[in-house]
Amino acid sequence: MSEFATSTAPADVVRRQYLASAAGDLEALRATLAPDVEWTEMAGFPLAGTYRTPDGVTANVMEKLGQDWDGWIAHDDTYVVDGENVVVLARYTALNKATGKPIDVRVAHHFVVRGALIVRFEQFVDTALVRDAMSA
C-alpha cells in the first residue's frame, strides 16, 4: 500500500475523499469520514442541509447527486492547510440529467480533519449557477 493511501496528514485524507468521490467508490469515501461527521451543503444548494454519519453523507449527498447529474466531479485544485483545517478551492463539473445543461462552477470546501478522519465539512458555492442548470 502506498504512503499516500495510509497517510494521516489532513490534506492527504481530504484528497482521498475527492479521489473516492470521483471514482464513485462510496465505501472508500465513507472510510475518510468520522462516525460523527457533520457534512453541510450550503443553503440554496439543491441538497442544502447538514448530514451526519458516513452513511448519511453518502446517501443524502453523493447518491442523490448521481441520480440528478451525469459525471458529477469535484475537481480539487488548490489546498490551503492550517493544522486540522483544510480549505480546498475546486470546481464542480456535471451535466444535469433532466435539462441536459452543464455546470462548471467554482467552489470552496472547508474540512476539519482529526485522527485521520474528516469530522466536519462545509461547502461554499454559487448556488444560482447550479440551480440554473436544473431549470428548463
Side-chain angles (χ1 to χ4, degrees), residues 3-4 37-38 47 61 65 67 73 78 86 100 110 113 120 133:
E3 184 178 317
F4 169 75
V37 65
E38 288 186 7
L47 305 174
V61 179
L65 288 171
Q67 291 169 5
I73 296 180
T78 304
V86 181
H110 174 221
V113 179
R120 195 171 315 123

Side-chain angles (χ1 to χ4, degrees), residues 53-130:
T53 77
D55 287 334
V57 170
T58 55
N60 292 294
V61 179
M62 287 68 183
E63 289 178 21
K64 291 191 186 276
L65 288 171
Q67 291 169 5
D68 295 336
W69 300 88
D70 279 326
W72 182 277
I73 296 180
H75 305 268
D76 51 327
D77 300 327
T78 304
Y79 283 64
V80 180
V81 181
D82 182 17
E84 65 185 13
N85 293 284
V86 181
V87 174
V88 180
L89 305 178
R91 64 187 171 87
Y92 294 147
T93 59
L95 186 70
N96 186 266
K97 290 180 179 180
T99 66
K101 292 181 182 178
I103 61 165
D104 187 342
V105 60
R106 294 292 292 162
V107 299
H109 294 154
H110 174 221
F111 295 86
V112 177
V113 179
R114 286 189 196 123
L117 294 172
I118 297 165
V119 297
R120 195 171 315 123
F121 165 88
E122 188 174 6
Q123 171 201 56
F124 301 89
V125 60
D126 184 343
T127 58
L129 292 176
V130 177

Side-chain angles (χ1 to χ4, degrees), residues 9-56:
D12 290 341
V13 173
V14 169
R15 178 74 177 134
R16 284 196 300 273
Q17 178 273 149
Y18 282 106
L19 291 171
S21 178
D25 187 344
L26 298 184
E27 182 178 334
L29 192 149
R30 284 189 288 270
T32 66
L33 304 176
D36 59 347
V37 65
E38 288 186 7
W39 187 280
T40 302
E41 299 286 313
M42 188 168 174
F45 191 71
L47 305 174
T50 298
Y51 305 97
R52 291 172 175 79
T53 77
D55 287 334

